[in-house]
Amino acid sequence: PKPDERGKHPRPHTMAAPGRLDLMATRRLEDVASLAAFDTSLTAELNTMWLLIGAILVFFMQTGFAMLEAGSVATRITNTILLKNVMDASLGAVIFAAVGYGFAYGDTSGHGVGHRVIGKTLFFLEDKDFSDGTGYLWASWLFQWAFAATTATIVSGAVAERVTFGAYLCYRQSRRNTSGSD
């Protein structure tokens, strides 16, 4: 290539034929579009990961409360306290999956005025309701369940050594029946 009037050689991309420039521009636009799609996908996956990390951290609060309760009661009651905590997490998961998440996050459209508090979908965690492709809705359920289970454990600590295990189970059952969630 010949130097221009300033004595400099032209840049390689200016030497291409006009048709080639159109092809290069089209490819760059395709690259930008695929990069934007990748960015959107990566953002969704990172949001899901962050929600899962948050759920794990909140659930570790449950273990912290269990250790606090176990250290605050007489040694003979420690097994009962730890059983209460496991029951809170286990039964909380089943009941929150069955009705709690649907009450809190289900679709409220179609209800009459003043009845937009309780949802009418997302009960029993059907796969069709959670198929967003990123796992975000499942992570959201896990995060909300971790909070519900941890909240129930706070009550367990408040009544430690004050009520029997059977009385606590009756309280937990009546609490679930009246509030619809943990």
Side-chain angles (χ1 to χ4, degrees):
K2 296 181 182 178
D4 61 6
E5 60 273 355
R6 294 177 290 166
K8 296 187 177 187
H9 289 282
R11 293 185 181 167
H13 72 281
T14 60
M15 296 179 357
R20 177 143 170 84
L21 284 177
D22 291 340
L23 180 62
M24 289 172 57
T26 302
R27 285 187 181 156
R28 288 188 188 206
L29 286 174
E30 290 171 356
D31 290 344
V32 168
S34 67
L35 186 60
F38 173 76
D39 183 48
T40 302
S41 172
L42 181 64
T43 300
E45 290 168 2
L46 286 174
N47 285 341
T48 301
M49 185 182 74
W50 181 243
L51 201 55
L52 287 172
I53 289 170
I56 291 166
L57 290 174
V58 170
F59 189 72
F60 272 120
M61 289 172 56
Q62 177 109 358
T63 60
F65 287 136
M67 296 303 136
L68 177 66
E69 290 173 40
S72 300
V73 298
T75 307
R76 62 183 172 78
I77 302 176
T78 303
N79 288 340
T80 304
I81 294 296
L82 295 177
L83 180 62
K84 278 194 236 180
N85 283 293
V86 170
M87 294 291 287
D88 283 340
S90 303
L91 290 176
V94 171
I95 293 172
F96 191 70
V99 293
Y101 194 76
F103 278 2
Y105 296 100
D107 182 23
T108 59
S109 64
H111 289 299
V113 176
H115 297 285
R116 294 191 176 131
V117 177
I118 297 175
K120 60 181 181 177
T121 59
L122 300 178
F123 293 104
F124 298 98
L125 300 182
E126 294 183 37
D127 221 9
K128 66 180 177 64
D129 295 328
F130 287 86
S131 58
D132 65 346
T134 64
Y136 184 82
L137 294 173
W138 286 109
S140 173
W141 177 86
L142 185 71
F143 184 74
Q144 299 303 329
W145 162 76
F147 267 105
T150 302
T151 304
T153 301
I154 293 171
V155 174
S156 169
V159 298
E161 288 190 312
R162 292 176 177 86
V163 297
T164 64
F165 185 67
Y168 178 73
L169 288 179
C170 289
Y171 163 76
R172 291 290 300 145
Q173 187 59 36
S174 67
R175 172 92 171 101
R176 284 191 175 104
N177 287 340
T178 59
S179 69
S181 67
D182 288 333

